[in-house]
Amino acid sequence: MIYDSFRHSSAASRKLLAALVGGDLLFMVLHWLHVHTGLLTSELWSIGRDRGFGEMFQYLKYAGVMLALAHVFRRTRLPVLLLWIGVFGFLLLDDSMRIHERFGLGMMAWAHLPDFGGLRGRDFGELIYAAIGAVILTPVLVVTYIRSSPMARAISADLLLLLIMLLIFAVGGDTIHRLLSSTAFDTLAGLVEDGGEMLVLSLTCFYVCTLYVYISTGGACTVHDTGVKGAGRRH
């Protein structure tokens, strides 16, 4: 279905994707100028900065994803969409409130996690946080997937793939960045980590907005549909 979204997306959806990716690349360039020149001295220009300009852009994307999914739910009444609205809502809350960082610090203090292999104790705490989240979310997703209609399963599978891609950069990229933080690859690793998150979230916005347009133009699906219909297909 993600592939179909590209093939059959509307001109408006493609323009949205181009604008979002263009914004991502602009923030990456501004981040590079901040790190390597004296032109942008404020830390808010860093895409790795909590509540910086780049992260605020991410917040807007999360909000857009949730609003589009809410609209699709209103039209289709597919319960699995409520789960995904909750997932992206939690990710927004986690980013804005720095929940994973606070958990990492708390776990480090509580369990006396040592620094090891280039990673800090708090980094191990954040990895534990990610593992707990996966353990909680996985069975919920499996149960809802099994009990869902074919269309809901297809949408859920696509969103899960996008979520995995996001976590690869957020968790895996962050770990690699930390390991390379004292090397010449520090800036590049940071760009891959944070820039990768930005691009994946832009792709997620494009996907849900393509789904939104499809539903809004009557391509759609209700809970009574029995066939698998590509969310990005237009008649």
Side-chain angles (χ1 to χ4, degrees):
M1 285 178 65
I2 292 179
Y3 176 64
D4 279 344
S5 294
F6 282 107
R7 290 178 56 225
H8 304 289
S9 60
S10 67
S13 295
R14 291 192 294 272
K15 288 179 181 178
L16 173 65
L17 178 61
L20 291 175
V21 171
D24 294 336
L25 295 177
L26 175 61
F27 278 114
M28 291 181 206
V29 171
L30 294 173
H31 170 83
W32 187 90
L33 291 174
H34 163 71
V35 172
H36 294 285
T37 73
L39 297 177
L40 302 172
T41 57
S42 174
E43 283 295 320
L44 294 175
W45 292 108
S46 170
I47 59 176
R49 171 78 175 186
D50 291 318
R51 300 182 183 178
F53 298 131
E55 189 154 300
M56 290 293 183
F57 188 45
Q58 290 288 84
Y59 298 164
L60 291 175
K61 293 183 206 173
Y62 277 122
V65 168
M66 294 165 63
L67 287 173
L69 289 176
H71 173 82
V72 175
F73 171 76
R74 185 173 63 86
R75 294 291 296 271
T76 64
R77 300 299 176 184
L78 296 173
V80 71
L81 294 177
L82 293 177
L83 171 63
W84 283 108
I85 291 171
V87 169
F88 286 106
F90 178 77
L91 291 175
L92 171 58
L93 185 65
D94 179 77
D95 262 1
S96 60
M97 301 297 293
R98 302 173 60 190
I99 296 175
H100 64 285
E101 295 179 6
R102 294 180 180 181
F103 181 94
L105 287 170
M107 179 61 70
M108 177 187 69
W110 178 74
H112 305 290
L113 298 175
D115 297 346
F116 180 77
L119 295 177
R120 303 165 300 179
R122 62 180 291 183
D123 296 322
F124 289 109
E126 290 179 23
L127 289 173
I128 292 172
Y129 174 86
I132 293 173
V135 169
I136 294 173
L137 183 60
T138 299
V140 177
L141 286 175
V142 170
V143 171
T144 54
Y145 182 87
I146 292 173
R147 301 182 63 180
S148 295
S149 66
M151 158 103 25
R153 290 182 183 182
I155 295 173
S156 193
D158 283 345
L159 290 174
L160 178 60
L161 176 59
L162 291 164
L163 177 63
I164 290 172
M165 291 169 61
L166 186 64
L167 293 178
I168 286 174
F169 287 106
V171 180
D174 181 62
T175 301
I176 294 173
H177 184 200
R178 178 57 52 188
L179 291 171
L180 298 176
S181 60
S182 300
T183 72
F185 298 103
D186 178 43
T187 301
L188 177 60
L191 273 174
V192 170
E193 175 198 351
D194 297 306
E197 286 185 58
M198 297 181 82
L199 291 170
V200 172
L201 195 52
S202 290
L203 179 59
T204 305
C205 282
F206 165 75
Y207 174 78
V208 297
C209 286
T210 298
L211 186 62
Y212 169 93
V213 171
Y214 180 75
I215 299 297
S216 297
T217 53
C221 67
T222 67
V223 290
H224 303 296
D225 284 339
T226 56
V228 178
K229 299 180 182 179
R233 264 181 241 148
R234 295 175 62 91
H235 295 297

Tab-separated table of all heavy atoms in Angstrom, residues 8 18 54 62 71 82 113 117 120 128 137 214 230:
chain	number	residue	atom	x	y	z
A	8	HIS	N	-0.357	6.332	-6.946
A	8	HIS	CA	-1.697	6.844	-7.181
A	8	HIS	C	-2.027	8.073	-6.320
A	8	HIS	O	-3.194	8.414	-6.190
A	8	HIS	CB	-2.722	5.744	-6.904
A	8	HIS	CG	-2.488	4.506	-7.713
A	8	HIS	ND1	-2.706	4.441	-9.071
A	8	HIS	CD2	-2.034	3.274	-7.351
A	8	HIS	CE1	-2.413	3.223	-9.511
A	8	HIS	NE2	-2.002	2.507	-8.489
A	18	ALA	N	6.815	17.008	-1.103
A	18	ALA	CA	7.946	17.816	-1.555
A	18	ALA	C	8.218	18.964	-0.584
A	18	ALA	O	9.380	19.263	-0.266
A	18	ALA	CB	7.673	18.365	-2.953
A	54	GLY	N	13.879	22.778	14.470
A	54	GLY	CA	13.682	21.532	13.735
A	54	GLY	C	12.712	20.602	14.439
A	54	GLY	O	11.874	19.959	13.797
A	62	TYR	N	3.641	15.460	13.576
A	62	TYR	CA	2.913	14.515	14.437
A	62	TYR	C	1.446	14.931	14.554
A	62	TYR	O	0.548	14.094	14.459
A	62	TYR	CB	3.539	14.473	15.830
A	62	TYR	CG	4.731	13.570	15.965
A	62	TYR	CD1	5.967	14.058	16.384
A	62	TYR	CD2	4.634	12.202	15.695
A	62	TYR	CE1	7.068	13.223	16.521
A	62	TYR	CE2	5.727	11.363	15.828
A	62	TYR	CZ	6.942	11.882	16.236
A	62	TYR	OH	8.021	11.045	16.364
A	71	HIS	N	-9.596	11.965	11.004
A	71	HIS	CA	-10.577	12.161	9.941
A	71	HIS	C	-10.933	10.827	9.280
A	71	HIS	O	-12.110	10.544	9.019
A	71	HIS	CB	-10.046	13.125	8.888
A	71	HIS	CG	-10.933	13.251	7.692
A	71	HIS	ND1	-12.043	14.062	7.652
A	71	HIS	CD2	-10.883	12.628	6.481
A	71	HIS	CE1	-12.634	13.945	6.476
A	71	HIS	NE2	-11.951	13.092	5.742
A	82	LEU	N	-7.697	4.304	16.054
A	82	LEU	CA	-7.603	4.935	17.371
A	82	LEU	C	-6.300	4.537	18.058
A	82	LEU	O	-5.667	5.353	18.748
A	82	LEU	CB	-8.801	4.544	18.231
A	82	LEU	CG	-10.171	5.064	17.779
A	82	LEU	CD1	-11.264	4.531	18.701
A	82	LEU	CD2	-10.181	6.585	17.745
A	113	LEU	N	23.302	2.000	36.669
A	113	LEU	CA	23.820	1.547	35.372
A	113	LEU	C	25.149	2.233	35.078
A	113	LEU	O	25.243	3.460	35.109
A	113	LEU	CB	22.813	1.867	34.265
A	113	LEU	CG	21.439	1.185	34.379
A	113	LEU	CD1	20.515	1.701	33.285
A	113	LEU	CD2	21.597	-0.331	34.281
A	117	GLY	N	31.459	0.728	27.019
A	117	GLY	CA	31.616	0.636	25.567
A	117	GLY	C	31.271	1.896	24.811
A	117	GLY	O	30.783	1.841	23.670
A	120	ARG	N	26.723	5.814	27.767
A	120	ARG	CA	26.524	6.235	29.149
A	120	ARG	C	25.467	5.364	29.817
A	120	ARG	O	24.674	4.701	29.147
A	120	ARG	CB	26.075	7.693	29.180
A	120	ARG	CG	27.018	8.667	28.508
A	120	ARG	CD	26.336	10.012	28.270
A	120	ARG	NE	25.158	9.850	27.418
A	120	ARG	CZ	24.356	10.855	27.058
A	120	ARG	NH1	24.620	12.077	27.487
A	120	ARG	NH2	23.313	10.630	26.291
A	128	ILE	N	16.423	0.495	27.586
A	128	ILE	CA	15.463	-0.288	28.373
A	128	ILE	C	14.061	0.282	28.180
A	128	ILE	O	13.082	-0.456	28.036
A	128	ILE	CB	15.862	-0.279	29.869
A	128	ILE	CG1	17.168	-1.060	30.067
A	128	ILE	CG2	14.745	-0.868	30.733
A	128	ILE	CD1	17.746	-0.945	31.475
A	137	LEU	N	3.610	-2.618	23.331
A	137	LEU	CA	2.890	-2.310	22.098
A	137	LEU	C	2.700	-3.527	21.198
A	137	LEU	O	1.641	-3.671	20.571
A	137	LEU	CB	3.637	-1.222	21.327
A	137	LEU	CG	2.981	-0.727	20.027
A	137	LEU	CD1	1.605	-0.140	20.320
A	137	LEU	CD2	3.870	0.305	19.339
A	214	TYR	N	-8.007	10.070	-0.254
A	214	TYR	CA	-8.724	8.940	-0.843
A	214	TYR	C	-10.098	8.749	-0.200
A	214	TYR	O	-11.113	8.584	-0.879
A	214	TYR	CB	-7.881	7.676	-0.684
A	214	TYR	CG	-8.526	6.427	-1.250
A	214	TYR	CD1	-8.566	6.210	-2.611
A	214	TYR	CD2	-9.072	5.480	-0.403
A	214	TYR	CE1	-9.154	5.062	-3.134
A	214	TYR	CE2	-9.666	4.334	-0.905
A	214	TYR	CZ	-9.696	4.129	-2.273
A	214	TYR	OH	-10.284	3.004	-2.779
A	230	GLY	N	-6.280	-0.675	-1.835
A	230	GLY	CA	-5.130	0.152	-1.549
A	230	GLY	C	-5.549	1.545	-1.159
A	230	GLY	O	-6.297	2.180	-1.853
